[in-house]
Amino acid sequence: MRLVKFFSALFIFLSLFNLAEAGEKKPFSQDIFSASQAADESIVVYVYAPWCTTCKQQEVIIDKIMQEPRFDKVRYYVVDFDNDKEGMRKLKANTRSTILVFKGKRELTRSANDTDAVSIQTLLEKAL
């Protein structure tokens, strides 16, 4: 039993070191996302498909905004629409081009199919 607790604690500890650098785009992983939530961090999750023209428009806007210094403490994860159906199910994200904003375990807002830069910026600012 002690060994199980030790390895559980070690797994959580190592997961924290694999968290995305704030503002840096990282592939979504349920374990890393959960660790960010447990640490009560601000999180942006983006459901993206490489073939989606709306996603490509959004990606340029989101990436630019997330590089701003004021987003330095916001974690940024991208869910692969084609290959991570489990991640989408857990996030209750039913479509590509969906942007979700969390503070810890609480979802603050979400948007789908929006390509307006001002609207996306307003959405992402809720993470601050």
Side-chain angles (χ1 to χ4, degrees):
M1 186 64 166
R2 292 176 112 189
L3 195 55
V4 170
K5 286 183 178 180
F6 169 77
F7 281 110
S8 294
L10 180 62
F11 174 77
I12 291 169
F13 177 75
L14 292 175
S15 293
L16 291 173
F17 279 100
N18 288 323
L19 291 174
E21 291 297 318
E24 178 185 353
K25 181 172 25 176
K26 291 285 187 180
F28 180 86
S29 152
Q30 185 61 51
D31 291 335
I32 294 171
F33 174 69
S34 294
S36 288
Q37 286 187 306
D40 200 37
E41 294 180 317
S42 295
I43 307 163
V44 170
V45 179
Y46 178 42
V47 180
Y48 176 85
W51 48 264
C52 168
T53 56
T54 301
C55 296
K56 288 178 184 182
Q57 292 174 352
Q58 289 176 317
E59 181 181 35
V60 171
I61 297 166
I62 296 168
D63 287 354
K64 182 177 179 183
I65 294 168
M66 292 302 295
Q67 292 303 311
E68 294 176 14
R70 62 194 180 127
F71 286 91
D72 282 351
K73 294 185 179 173
V74 178
R75 303 294 178 186
Y76 177 23
Y77 302 114
V78 179
V79 178
D80 183 331
F81 174 79
D82 294 319
N83 298 308
D84 193 358
K85 298 299 182 187
E86 180 66 16
M88 289 179 56
R89 185 185 66 74
K90 289 187 177 186
L91 292 165
K92 298 179 181 144
N94 301 321
T95 187
R96 66 196 184 287
S97 67
T98 300
I99 307 164
L100 303 97
V101 178
F102 293 84
K103 174 61 175 155
K105 295 183 180 184
R106 188 169 60 103
E107 181 177 331
L108 302 176
T109 189
R110 70 171 56 202
S111 174
N113 302 308
D114 185 1
T115 58
D116 179 73
V118 173
S119 177
I120 292 172
Q121 181 165 338
T122 300
L123 180 87
L124 296 180
E125 285 174 344
K126 300 212 187 278
L128 299 177

